[in-house]
Amino acid sequence: MAEQPDIETMRIVAPDAGELERAAEAALRPKKLSEFVGQRVVRGQLQLVLDAARMRASTPDHVLLAGPPGLGKTTLAMIIAAEMGTSLRLTSGPAIQHAGDLAAILSGLQEGDILFIDEIHRLARTAEEMLYLAMEDFRVDVVVGKGPGATSIPLTLPPFTVVGATTRSGLLPAPLRDRFGFTAHLEFYETEELQSVVTRSATLLGSPTISVVTRSATLLGSPIDARAAHEIASRSRGTPRIANRLLRRVVDYAQVHGDGTLTLDAARGALELFEVDPSGLDRLDRAVLEAVCRRFAGGPVGLTTLSVTIGEEAETVETVAEPYLVREGFLVRTNRGRMATPKAWGHLGLNPPMPDGSLFD
Ligand code: ADP
């Protein structure tokens, strides 16, 4: 009888879902600024900063990328490094717990390197102060030893560029914000832009070396029916990461339930199965709206109370769900808390409260 693999072996053999997701994402990342869809203003600004740096044969100014998750901040950092022909070092605010962690990263930088710091608003305070000096004077003071005997050794760094990414630029202390020569605010994408993202990704996924699935569709001219691409795009909450993720589920659906062709029916079937509604709202979005309307009679309700009610982190509600719900006019933020709009009530199939505050379904 074949020997059963033990649990540990199985864990090593099977890559975890997050790893697969990251690998799939990496394969779909645009490599050049010209391949980066949408964000016309930011692309223009960045192109200028990079062209000027190239003309001066110097490193580009530090760049801060601000915006909700999945809009292309990491992708842009990688593009900056590729366009400048330099290396990219990746780290994140939560990974730098002490100034020493940052000192180790900084002292390993080469001239012209791009240092990408994701979630820079979560950097430890002591590291933040070290970063000020490094960004301004290309210098760090490394403290050796402890207590009264501690000495500080100044270390000169080669010129480099910090690309910071944040979902909450409001939380960045002003001295740190001021050290960036340029802040790019990424906006949610229009449906037509996301349609281009989906079509581009479908073409990449359809490459015969990666997948046999979409090859038949490729032979028909396009790897994805334009109506299917539009359907996915319109339900992706203005976010390329979500568009790519939904596309992969549509590919699965088309393979299992059809001949692999990415049709409108396959798109609708997959989106329904994964509970993405026609406005693109997902479970978290709907949980927020349901709580505000049903539990708090439309609000106002504070962020903390709302998050506890739906069992989510306040930061997730604030950075992932809210920006899109506010932009689409489902929710308003007032200084007394979050309030549902008539559009939110309508979306849930409910009537807004009567003037006396009573509810009827
Ligand atoms: P963020 O760092 O803002 O969370 P990422 O840069 O990781 O977002 O982007 C998430 C995914 O979305 C990536 O796999 C990338 O392929 C895709 N993506 C983001 N922006 C664009 C864009 N403008 N054009 C094409 N694909 C994009």
Side-chain angles (χ1 to χ4, degrees):
M1 200 175 79
E3 220 174 87
Q4 287 288 318
D6 62 27
I7 301 281
E8 274 313 306
T9 320
M10 286 166 65
R11 258 199 219 121
I12 293 163
V13 172
D16 75 65
E19 220 172 278
L20 287 175
E21 182 84 2
R22 279 190 292 278
E25 232 175 43
L28 298 178
R29 272 184 213 285
K31 308 275 184 291
K32 293 187 247 159
L33 209 46
S34 56
E35 287 174 12
F36 193 84
V37 177
Q39 308 291 349
R40 198 179 50 80
V41 175
V42 168
R43 259 192 301 130
Q45 294 167 336
L46 210 48
Q47 189 75 63
L48 180 77
V49 171
L50 299 184
D51 285 347
R54 264 195 297 262
M55 280 174 71
R56 288 195 294 263
S58 66
T59 52
D61 226 342
H62 306 299
V63 179
L64 181 64
L65 304 170
L71 297 195
K73 299 183 291 297
T74 311
T75 307
L76 278 177
M78 291 178 170
I79 289 176
I80 294 174
E83 296 261 336
M84 295 306 294
T86 54
S87 315
L88 179 77
R89 306 289 165 109
L90 288 131
T91 185
S92 74
I96 299 173
Q97 292 296 316
H98 310 282
D101 300 335
L102 182 63
I105 294 170
L106 292 172
S107 55
L109 291 176
Q110 310 274 321
E111 181 166 351
D113 277 357
I114 307 293
L115 174 62
F116 177 63
I117 309 180
D118 201 6
E119 298 188 75
I120 195 168
H121 59 275
R122 294 175 65 185
L123 213 54
R125 194 45 47 110
T126 48
E128 218 170 74
E129 278 159 20
M130 176 178 277
L131 190 61
Y132 297 159
L133 197 62
M135 289 171 78
E136 196 139 292
D137 296 340
F138 298 111
R139 186 166 69 85
V140 279
D141 289 327
V142 182
V143 180
V144 182
K146 276 193 174 147
T151 46
S152 160
I153 303 174
L155 186 71
T156 306
L157 303 172
F160 66 99
T161 300
V162 173
V163 177
T166 180
T167 46
R168 307 181 71 191
S169 58
L171 285 188
L172 275 195
L176 182 54
R177 219 174 322 147
D178 292 346
R179 278 165 175 87
F180 288 97
F182 151 60
T183 300
H185 291 277
L186 300 190
E187 305 290 341
F188 285 112
Y189 291 67
E190 299 299 330
T191 300
E192 291 66 35
E193 294 169 342
L194 287 183
Q195 189 170 342
S196 306
V197 171
V198 169
T199 308
R200 175 182 173 276
S201 300
T203 311
L204 291 173
L205 288 174
S207 137
T209 52
I210 297 175
S211 157
V212 199
V213 178
T214 49
R215 221 187 295 164
S216 57
T218 312
L219 294 178
L220 298 176
S222 166
I224 184 165
D225 182 316
R227 289 167 307 166
H230 186 270
E231 188 73 14
I232 298 171
S234 66
R235 297 211 215 173
S236 299
R237 305 175 86 258
T239 308
R241 173 177 291 139
I242 297 180
N244 282 339
R245 193 184 296 154
L246 293 179
L247 171 66
R248 291 200 298 275
R249 298 297 75 80
V250 173
V251 170
D252 292 347
Y253 192 95
Q255 184 173 28
V256 172
H257 294 288
D259 64 356
T261 313
L262 304 180
T263 60
L264 180 59
D265 280 349
R268 288 199 173 141
L271 293 165
E272 195 174 317
L273 187 65
F274 285 91
E275 300 184 291
V276 179
D277 73 23
S279 300
L281 304 193
D282 60 18
R283 284 168 53 119
L284 176 63
D285 300 318
R286 282 194 300 272
V288 169
L289 294 186
E290 293 265 353
V292 177
C293 293
R294 289 188 193 272
R295 300 287 297 274
F296 301 102
V301 52
L303 175 67
T304 315
T305 313
L306 178 60
S307 310
V308 169
T309 307
I310 60 172
E312 271 296 345
E313 294 278 331
E315 185 166 344
T316 309
V317 173
E318 195 177 20
T319 60
V320 178
E322 259 186 21
Y324 189 70
L325 292 175
V326 169
R327 183 188 107 144
E328 291 298 298
F330 288 102
L331 207 63
V332 284
R333 292 170 66 155
T334 70
N335 50 12
R336 289 182 305 138
R338 279 67 180 163
M339 292 186 74
T341 63
K343 186 173 174 184
W345 290 94
H347 190 76
L348 298 176
L350 301 171
N351 290 310
M354 307 291 282
D356 66 0
S358 61
L359 296 174
F360 64 92
D361 275 30

XYZ file of all heavy atoms in Angstrom, residues 11-107:
705
model
N 2.085 19.949 3.503
C 2.166 21.414 3.572
C 3.273 21.952 2.685
O 3.132 22.968 2.039
C 2.435 21.846 5.010
C 1.167 22.325 5.640
C 1.475 23.160 6.842
N 0.477 22.820 7.816
C 0.725 22.339 8.998
N 1.955 22.188 9.411
N -0.245 22.034 9.802
N 4.374 21.212 2.658
C 5.506 21.684 1.856
C 5.179 21.573 0.359
O 5.447 22.460 -0.412
C 6.790 20.885 2.206
C 7.197 21.217 3.632
C 7.919 21.209 1.249
C 8.166 20.242 4.245
N 4.507 20.484 0.011
C 4.229 20.243 -1.399
C 3.198 21.236 -1.947
O 3.351 21.798 -3.013
C 3.744 18.785 -1.609
C 3.267 18.580 -3.033
C 4.889 17.826 -1.282
N 2.127 21.483 -1.170
C 1.058 22.340 -1.691
C 1.349 23.809 -1.408
O 1.442 24.200 -0.259
C -0.257 21.944 -1.026
N 1.514 24.641 -2.478
C 1.736 26.056 -2.227
C 0.463 26.655 -1.647
O -0.633 26.235 -2.006
C 2.005 26.630 -3.629
C 1.503 25.624 -4.592
C 1.423 24.313 -3.893
N 0.593 27.614 -0.700
C -0.634 28.147 -0.130
C -1.309 29.097 -1.118
O -0.705 29.567 -2.085
C -0.375 28.775 1.253
C 0.319 30.100 1.168
O -0.304 31.028 0.625
O 1.463 30.210 1.623
N -2.594 29.335 -0.825
C -3.411 30.106 -1.772
C -2.842 31.505 -1.992
O -2.836 32.005 -3.116
C -4.836 30.182 -1.252
N -2.312 32.103 -0.905
C -1.760 33.455 -1.017
C -0.584 33.484 -1.982
O -0.422 34.401 -2.777
N 0.219 32.413 -1.918
C 1.399 32.317 -2.783
C 0.969 32.225 -4.253
O 1.525 32.898 -5.118
C 2.145 31.041 -2.412
C 3.660 31.171 -2.407
C 4.258 29.907 -1.829
O 4.313 29.789 -0.588
O 4.610 29.041 -2.630
N -0.039 31.387 -4.514
C -0.543 31.237 -5.889
C -1.096 32.568 -6.392
O -0.869 32.965 -7.523
C -1.648 30.186 -5.931
C -1.195 28.735 -5.789
C -2.409 27.813 -5.723
C -0.312 28.350 -6.979
N -1.818 33.236 -5.497
C -2.436 34.518 -5.843
C -1.354 35.529 -6.212
O -1.441 36.222 -7.211
C -3.226 35.000 -4.611
C -3.980 36.283 -4.795
C -5.348 36.063 -5.449
O -5.717 34.908 -5.713
O -5.996 37.046 -5.718
N -0.278 35.571 -5.398
C 0.811 36.522 -5.665
C 1.519 36.194 -6.975
O 1.882 37.070 -7.741
C 1.812 36.538 -4.497
C 1.329 37.395 -3.336
C 2.433 37.587 -2.313
N 2.773 36.346 -1.625
C 2.089 35.862 -0.597
N 1.044 36.492 -0.136
N 2.451 34.734 -0.010
N 1.699 34.876 -7.232
C 2.376 34.469 -8.470
C 1.525 34.868 -9.677
O 2.031 35.390 -10.671
C 2.608 32.966 -8.462
N 0.215 34.640 -9.562
C -0.686 34.984 -10.675
C -0.654 36.492 -10.898
O -0.630 36.969 -12.035
C -2.102 34.526 -10.353
N -0.631 37.246 -9.788
C -0.601 38.706 -9.888
C 0.682 39.175 -10.560
O 0.659 40.038 -11.433
C -0.677 39.303 -8.480
C -1.769 40.317 -8.386
C -1.956 40.852 -6.995
O -0.961 41.143 -6.316
O -3.111 40.991 -6.596
N 1.798 38.575 -10.155
C 3.092 38.990 -10.705
C 3.119 38.790 -12.222
O 3.647 39.615 -12.963
C 4.214 38.205 -10.040
N 2.498 37.685 -12.681
C 2.523 37.379 -14.113
C 1.753 38.427 -14.924
O 2.016 38.623 -16.102
C 1.926 35.999 -14.349
N 0.808 39.089 -14.274
C -0.056 40.025 -15.007
C 0.383 41.481 -14.870
O -0.230 42.377 -15.428
C -1.501 39.887 -14.507
C -2.141 38.511 -14.713
C -3.544 38.476 -14.143
C -2.179 38.135 -16.191
N 1.444 41.733 -14.102
C 1.859 43.128 -13.886
C 2.443 43.760 -15.141
O 3.345 43.184 -15.750
C 2.969 43.176 -12.830
C 2.472 43.280 -11.443
C 3.634 43.431 -10.499
N 3.345 42.790 -9.237
C 2.533 43.281 -8.341
N 1.930 44.425 -8.557
N 2.316 42.654 -7.216
N 1.964 44.956 -15.501
C 2.609 45.658 -16.608
C 4.063 45.963 -16.243
O 4.363 46.231 -15.088
C 1.817 46.962 -16.724
C 0.634 46.828 -15.835
C 0.886 45.717 -14.883
N 4.954 45.884 -17.250
C 6.383 46.070 -16.950
C 6.880 47.476 -17.315
O 7.942 47.883 -16.899
C 7.234 45.049 -17.727
C 6.796 43.600 -17.550
C 7.414 42.993 -16.306
C 7.095 41.519 -16.133
N 5.692 41.215 -15.812
N 6.105 48.159 -18.174
C 6.533 49.499 -18.620
C 5.417 50.496 -18.373
O 4.246 50.125 -18.337
C 6.833 49.479 -20.123
C 8.016 48.647 -20.506
C 8.315 48.842 -21.982
C 8.041 47.549 -22.698
N 7.813 47.609 -24.087
N 5.794 51.771 -18.274
C 4.794 52.807 -18.047
C 3.780 52.825 -19.192
O 2.587 53.039 -18.975
C 5.501 54.175 -17.919
C 4.820 55.228 -17.047
C 4.352 54.680 -15.718
C 5.743 56.424 -16.836
N 4.258 52.546 -20.408
C 3.346 52.579 -21.560
C 2.320 51.436 -21.516
O 1.280 51.505 -22.150
C 4.145 52.525 -22.859
O 4.965 51.387 -22.849
N 2.623 50.370 -20.746
C 1.668 49.253 -20.641
C 0.689 49.473 -19.503
O -0.281 48.741 -19.345
C 2.415 47.944 -20.331
C 3.202 47.375 -21.465
C 4.012 46.156 -21.008
O 3.798 45.623 -19.900
O 4.883 45.747 -21.776
N 0.988 50.452 -18.652
C 0.166 50.721 -17.470
C -1.110 51.425 -17.928
O -1.064 52.515 -18.490
C 0.967 51.588 -16.499
C 0.378 51.696 -15.121
C 0.614 50.734 -14.156
C -0.405 52.791 -14.779
C 0.083 50.836 -12.887
C -0.942 52.908 -13.508
C -0.699 51.931 -12.562
N -2.242 50.781 -17.690
C -3.525 51.307 -18.191
C -4.038 52.413 -17.249
O -3.868 52.321 -16.038
C -4.553 50.147 -18.254
C -5.911 50.650 -18.691
C -4.056 49.041 -19.150
N -4.663 53.441 -17.806
C -5.347 54.457 -16.985
C -4.414 55.358 -16.197
O -3.220 55.449 -16.501
N -4.954 56.031 -15.163
C -4.175 56.949 -14.312
C -3.373 57.919 -15.178
O -2.179 58.124 -14.968
C -3.224 56.178 -13.374
C -3.863 55.092 -12.549
C -4.813 55.600 -11.477
O -4.864 56.787 -11.193
N -5.601 54.725 -10.906
N -4.068 58.543 -16.124
C -3.405 59.397 -17.109
C -2.560 60.489 -16.437
O -1.417 60.723 -16.809
C -4.465 60.024 -18.019
C -3.958 60.577 -19.319
C -5.111 61.147 -20.122
N -5.950 62.057 -19.350
C -5.638 63.336 -19.102
N -4.535 63.844 -19.572
N -6.438 64.100 -18.380
N -3.146 61.126 -15.421
C -2.456 62.242 -14.771
C -1.164 61.749 -14.090
O -0.077 62.288 -14.301
C -3.381 62.931 -13.735
C -2.649 64.015 -12.970
C -4.609 63.490 -14.441
N -1.316 60.691 -13.307
C -0.157 60.160 -12.579
C 0.928 59.685 -13.551
O 2.117 59.936 -13.349
C -0.587 59.003 -11.636
C 0.610 58.242 -11.107
C -1.430 59.549 -10.500
N 0.500 59.035 -14.634
C 1.492 58.551 -15.612
C 2.278 59.714 -16.205
O 3.495 59.653 -16.342
C 0.793 57.772 -16.728
C 0.913 56.286 -16.527
C 0.482 55.516 -17.754
N -0.883 55.799 -18.134
C -1.285 56.129 -19.355
N -0.403 56.216 -20.326
N -2.548 56.388 -19.611
N 1.558 60.789 -16.526
C 2.217 61.967 -17.100
C 3.213 62.571 -16.125
O 4.350 62.919 -16.486
N 2.793 62.676 -14.862
C 3.665 63.266 -13.837
C 4.915 62.412 -13.650
O 6.036 62.917 -13.613
C 2.900 63.361 -12.505
C 1.728 64.334 -12.556
C 0.795 64.197 -11.342
O 0.730 63.144 -10.705
N 0.066 65.257 -11.039
N 4.679 61.110 -13.574
C 5.794 60.197 -13.343
C 6.762 60.190 -14.522
O 7.983 60.187 -14.348
C 5.217 58.801 -13.120
C 5.980 57.856 -12.218
C 6.370 58.512 -10.916
C 5.123 56.631 -11.934
N 6.194 60.197 -15.720
C 7.032 60.204 -16.924
C 7.970 61.402 -16.900
O 9.165 61.281 -17.183
C 6.127 60.265 -18.168
C 6.867 60.070 -19.479
C 7.253 58.609 -19.692
O 6.391 57.755 -19.801
N 8.551 58.319 -19.722
N 7.430 62.561 -16.508
C 8.241 63.780 -16.469
C 9.378 63.649 -15.439
O 10.538 63.952 -15.733
C 7.360 64.989 -16.128
C 8.128 66.304 -16.063
C 8.434 66.807 -17.458
C 7.353 67.362 -15.280
N 9.008 63.179 -14.238
C 10.013 63.036 -13.178
C 11.131 62.082 -13.622
O 12.321 62.359 -13.428
C 9.343 62.545 -11.860
C 10.374 62.186 -10.803
C 8.384 63.607 -11.322
N 10.745 60.976 -14.263
C 11.742 59.985 -14.684
C 12.595 60.503 -15.849
O 13.824 60.350 -15.856
C 11.076 58.658 -15.072
C 10.275 57.959 -13.966
C 9.745 56.613 -14.458
C 11.094 57.753 -12.699
N 11.942 61.165 -16.811
C 12.687 61.701 -17.959
C 13.713 62.735 -17.488
O 14.865 62.735 -17.933
C 11.730 62.378 -18.966
C 10.948 61.336 -19.771
O 11.322 60.150 -19.717
O 9.959 61.722 -20.429
N 13.273 63.605 -16.568
C 14.174 64.659 -16.067
C 15.369 64.032 -15.350
O 16.512 64.455 -15.538
C 13.415 65.600 -15.138
N 15.089 63.003 -14.528
C 16.186 62.350 -13.802
C 17.168 61.715 -14.789
O 18.386 61.801 -14.617
C 15.627 61.294 -12.855
N 16.622 61.094 -15.839
C 17.487 60.463 -16.844
C 18.355 61.508 -17.526
O 19.549 61.308 -17.736
C 16.643 59.715 -17.878
C 16.511 58.231 -17.546
C 16.002 57.459 -18.743
N 14.665 57.911 -19.093
C 13.543 57.290 -18.730
N 13.610 56.185 -18.038
N 12.369 57.764 -19.073
N 17.756 62.678 -17.888
C 18.520 63.731 -18.565
C 19.652 64.251 -17.693
O 20.723 64.589 -18.167
C 17.589 64.903 -18.935
C 16.780 64.641 -20.180
S 15.599 65.958 -20.466
C 16.692 67.272 -20.944
N 19.360 64.324 -16.381
C 20.387 64.836 -15.458
C 21.331 63.731 -14.999
O 22.211 63.981 -14.186
C 19.706 65.440 -14.227
C 19.002 66.755 -14.491
C 18.680 67.453 -13.178
N 17.694 66.704 -12.402
C 16.379 66.978 -12.415
N 15.917 67.966 -13.152
N 15.552 66.275 -11.694
N 21.070 62.509 -15.431
C 21.819 61.332 -14.980
C 21.867 61.284 -13.451
O 22.905 61.022 -12.837
C 23.231 61.329 -15.570
N 20.704 61.560 -12.836
C 20.644 61.503 -11.365
C 19.503 60.570 -10.958
O 18.768 60.068 -11.812
C 20.402 62.900 -10.799
O 19.126 63.353 -11.191
N 19.369 60.350 -9.655
C 18.264 59.500 -9.203
C 16.992 60.345 -9.133
O 17.057 61.529 -8.804
C 18.543 58.918 -7.796
O 18.883 60.007 -6.950
C 19.653 57.913 -7.809
N 15.832 59.760 -9.446
C 14.590 60.541 -9.360
C 14.284 60.925 -7.909
O 14.762 60.267 -6.981
C 13.518 59.594 -9.888
C 14.175 58.339 -10.288
C 15.601 58.384 -9.893
N 13.499 61.965 -7.771
C 13.059 62.407 -6.454
C 12.258 61.288 -5.781
O 11.722 60.419 -6.465
C 12.130 63.628 -6.668
C 12.488 64.737 -5.707
O 13.171 64.449 -4.711
O 12.076 65.899 -5.965
N 12.150 61.346 -4.433
C 11.335 60.354 -3.728
C 9.867 60.519 -4.123
O 9.379 61.647 -4.262
C 11.487 60.522 -2.224
C 12.922 60.498 -1.767
N 13.737 59.406 -1.964
C 13.684 61.439 -1.157
C 14.936 59.672 -1.482
N 14.931 60.903 -0.986
N 9.179 59.385 -4.285
C 7.785 59.414 -4.760
C 6.870 58.751 -3.733
O 7.177 57.662 -3.241
C 7.666 58.621 -6.095
C 6.230 58.617 -6.598
C 8.595 59.186 -7.153
N 5.756 59.403 -3.439
C 4.754 58.792 -2.559
C 3.532 58.429 -3.403
O 3.006 59.268 -4.138
C 4.356 59.777 -1.454
C 3.334 59.259 -0.441
C 3.890 58.085 0.361
C 2.913 60.377 0.526
N 3.106 57.161 -3.317
C 1.934 56.712 -4.069
C 0.800 56.475 -3.074
O 0.937 55.657 -2.158
C 2.241 55.413 -4.813
C 3.449 55.458 -5.769
C 3.805 54.058 -6.248
C 3.144 56.370 -6.959
N -0.280 57.207 -3.233
C -1.381 57.102 -2.277
C -2.642 56.620 -2.971
O -2.929 57.031 -4.092
C -1.633 58.473 -1.638
N -3.365 55.726 -2.307
C -4.631 55.257 -2.884
C -5.032 53.917 -2.310
O -4.208 53.220 -1.716
N -6.297 53.527 -2.495
C -6.795 52.254 -1.974
C -6.020 51.049 -2.509
O -5.309 51.169 -3.523
C -8.255 52.219 -2.460
C -8.612 53.630 -2.750
C -7.342 54.294 -3.184
N -6.150 49.890 -1.842
C -5.405 48.704 -2.277
C -5.784 48.262 -3.689
O -6.934 48.438 -4.101
C -5.843 47.617 -1.276
C -6.628 48.285 -0.214
C -7.012 49.644 -0.681
N -4.800 47.703 -4.398
C -5.075 47.064 -5.693
C -5.127 47.990 -6.887
O -5.460 47.583 -7.983
N -4.745 49.283 -6.698
C -4.834 50.232 -7.821
C -3.529 50.348 -8.602
O -3.461 51.080 -9.581
C -5.258 51.630 -7.341
C -6.642 51.783 -6.708
C -7.052 53.239 -6.635
C -7.703 51.003 -7.446
N -2.459 49.685 -8.141
C -1.241 49.682 -8.954
C -0.027 50.344 -8.318
O 0.925 50.671 -9.028
N 0.009 50.480 -6.990
C 1.148 51.161 -6.345
C 2.430 50.318 -6.466
O 3.471 50.829 -6.867
C 0.815 51.469 -4.866
C -0.389 52.402 -4.729
C -0.691 52.762 -3.300
C -1.221 51.616 -2.477
N -2.530 51.098 -2.982
N 2.318 49.030 -6.124
C 3.507 48.162 -6.219
C 3.960 48.065 -7.677
O 5.158 48.111 -7.982
C 3.166 46.750 -5.687
O 2.531 46.895 -4.428
C 4.400 45.883 -5.566
N 2.986 47.950 -8.563
C 3.296 47.854 -9.999
C 4.071 49.091 -10.451
O 5.069 48.979 -11.167
C 1.984 47.727 -10.796
O 1.232 46.647 -10.248
C 2.232 47.492 -12.261
N 3.628 50.265 -10.013
C 4.320 51.487 -10.421
C 5.741 51.534 -9.869
O 6.664 51.976 -10.556
C 3.539 52.729 -9.954
C 2.371 53.153 -10.850
C 1.647 54.346 -10.248
C 2.846 53.501 -12.273
N 5.930 51.067 -8.639
C 7.285 51.051 -8.062
C 8.195 50.174 -8.922
O 9.341 50.532 -9.222
C 7.246 50.544 -6.628
N 7.657 49.032 -9.350
C 8.459 48.122 -10.180
C 8.751 48.764 -11.533
O 9.845 48.611 -12.079
C 7.712 46.798 -10.391
C 7.615 46.006 -9.104
S 6.688 44.503 -9.350
C 7.008 43.683 -7.797
N 7.767 49.474 -12.064
C 7.958 50.144 -13.356
C 9.029 51.236 -13.235
O 9.874 51.384 -14.118
C 6.613 50.728 -13.868
C 5.687 49.583 -14.302
C 6.824 51.716 -15.006
C 4.299 50.012 -14.742
N 9.009 51.970 -12.129
C 10.009 53.034 -11.934
C 11.415 52.429 -11.994
O 12.304 52.921 -12.688
C 9.784 53.786 -10.595
C 8.456 54.560 -10.643
C 10.955 54.723 -10.283
C 8.050 55.218 -9.329
N 11.598 51.310 -11.268
C 12.916 50.667 -11.263
C 13.282 50.191 -12.669
O 14.408 50.396 -13.137
C 12.936 49.502 -10.275
N 12.295 49.584 -13.362
C 12.578 49.059 -14.703
C 12.911 50.196 -15.666
O 13.856 50.101 -16.452
C 11.378 48.260 -15.207
N 12.143 51.293 -15.582
C 12.376 52.423 -16.499
C 13.730 53.077 -16.237
O 14.358 53.593 -17.142
C 11.260 53.467 -16.354
C 9.875 52.958 -16.756
C 9.469 53.376 -18.165
O 9.997 54.381 -18.645
O 8.625 52.675 -18.763
N 14.153 53.062 -14.974
C 15.438 53.675 -14.639
C 16.587 52.667 -14.801
O 17.749 53.027 -14.602
C 15.439 54.213 -13.190
C 14.461 55.353 -12.924
S 14.642 56.761 -14.051
C 16.244 57.405 -13.625
N 16.250 51.430 -15.078
C 17.283 50.399 -15.244
C 18.037 50.113 -13.953
O 19.240 49.832 -13.967
N 17.321 50.191 -12.824
C 17.984 49.947 -11.529
C 17.280 48.817 -10.779
O 16.284 48.285 -11.252
C 17.955 51.215 -10.644
O 16.603 51.644 -10.534
C 18.782 52.330 -11.227
N 17.787 48.493 -9.604
C 17.181 47.408 -8.825
C 16.138 47.949 -7.873
O 16.227 49.086 -7.423
C 18.220 46.685 -7.972
O 19.352 46.430 -8.700
N 15.202 47.069 -7.560
C 14.137 47.427 -6.621
C 14.310 46.629 -5.345
O 14.489 45.413 -5.392
C 12.782 47.093 -7.254
C 11.551 47.389 -6.412
C 11.244 48.878 -6.410
C 10.343 46.631 -6.943
N 14.295 47.307 -4.206
C 14.278 46.607 -2.915
C 12.898 46.800 -2.331
O 12.429 47.943 -2.286
C 15.293 47.203 -1.927
C 16.697 47.293 -2.452
C 17.267 45.891 -2.553
N 18.469 45.913 -3.375
C 19.689 45.741 -2.901
N 19.872 45.540 -1.622
N 20.715 45.764 -3.716
N 12.284 45.695 -1.920
C 10.908 45.795 -1.404
C 10.864 45.554 0.089
O 11.440 44.582 0.577
C 10.035 44.734 -2.059
C 9.657 44.931 -3.513
C 9.925 43.678 -4.296
C 8.207 45.305 -3.629
N 10.165 46.430 0.804
C 9.907 46.168 2.218
C 8.571 46.818 2.551
O 7.906 47.371 1.674
C 11.047 46.667 3.119
O 10.770 46.276 4.462
C 11.192 48.185 3.084
N 8.184 46.738 3.829
C 6.912 47.371 4.194
C 6.996 47.922 5.610
O 7.827 47.464 6.407
C 5.778 46.360 4.099
O 5.856 45.473 5.181
N 6.151 48.880 5.912
C 6.115 49.506 7.238
C 6.061 48.480 8.365
O 6.928 48.482 9.247
N 5.101 47.546 8.323
C 5.003 46.590 9.426
C 6.230 45.684 9.552
O 6.500 45.149 10.627
C 3.773 45.748 9.058
C 3.005 46.565 8.091
C 3.980 47.447 7.381
N 7.002 45.509 8.468
C 8.186 44.633 8.542
C 9.342 45.342 9.247
O 10.306 44.699 9.662
C 8.611 44.216 7.140
N 9.252 46.668 9.370
C 10.337 47.415 10.017
C 9.890 47.803 11.424
O 9.201 48.788 11.634
C 10.711 48.655 9.170
C 11.194 48.194 7.796
C 11.772 49.492 9.866
C 11.433 49.306 6.813
N 10.237 46.965 12.359
C 9.788 47.173 13.744
C 10.723 48.104 14.516
O 10.319 48.774 15.450
C 9.712 45.827 14.474
C 8.610 44.919 13.960
C 7.226 45.519 14.202
O 6.950 46.045 15.274
N 6.376 45.489 13.181
N 12.003 48.109 14.124
C 12.997 48.909 14.852
C 13.836 49.682 13.855
O 13.947 49.295 12.685
C 13.933 47.996 15.659
C 13.203 47.002 16.487
N 12.617 47.334 17.675
C 12.943 45.693 16.266
C 12.019 46.264 18.177
N 12.201 45.257 17.331
N 14.473 50.745 14.361
C 15.344 51.540 13.501
C 16.444 50.656 12.919
O 16.853 50.819 11.773
C 15.941 52.690 14.303
N 16.908 49.656 13.709
C 17.978 48.765 13.246
C 17.580 48.012 11.981
O 18.418 47.766 11.106
N 16.295 47.631 11.883
C 15.825 46.915 10.682
C 16.009 47.798 9.459
O 16.434 47.352 8.394
C 14.332 46.552 10.783
C 14.035 45.661 11.972
O 14.952 44.958 12.415
O 12.885 45.677 12.453
N 15.667 49.079 9.632
C 15.782 49.997 8.492
C 17.254 50.267 8.173
O 17.650 50.309 7.003
C 15.049 51.319 8.801
C 15.057 52.336 7.666
C 14.321 51.794 6.445
C 14.419 53.660 8.101
N 18.068 50.409 9.234
C 19.500 50.665 9.018
C 20.116 49.544 8.184
O 20.915 49.790 7.272
C 20.213 50.794 10.362
N 19.703 48.297 8.481
C 20.252 47.152 7.739
C 19.875 47.243 6.265
O 20.701 46.987 5.387
C 19.724 45.850 8.342
N 18.638 47.643 5.997
C 18.193 47.748 4.592
C 18.935 48.893 3.896
O 19.467 48.743 2.799
C 16.661 47.994 4.532
C 15.925 46.780 5.067
C 16.212 48.302 3.103
C 14.439 46.982 5.271
N 18.999 50.041 4.577
C 19.613 51.225 3.964
C 21.091 50.989 3.665
O 21.605 51.397 2.618
C 19.453 52.443 4.869
C 18.015 52.976 5.046
C 17.963 54.055 6.125
C 17.471 53.519 3.725
N 21.777 50.317 4.601
C 23.219 50.165 4.400
C 23.528 49.188 3.265
O 24.650 49.144 2.770
C 23.914 49.748 5.701
O 23.304 48.584 6.173
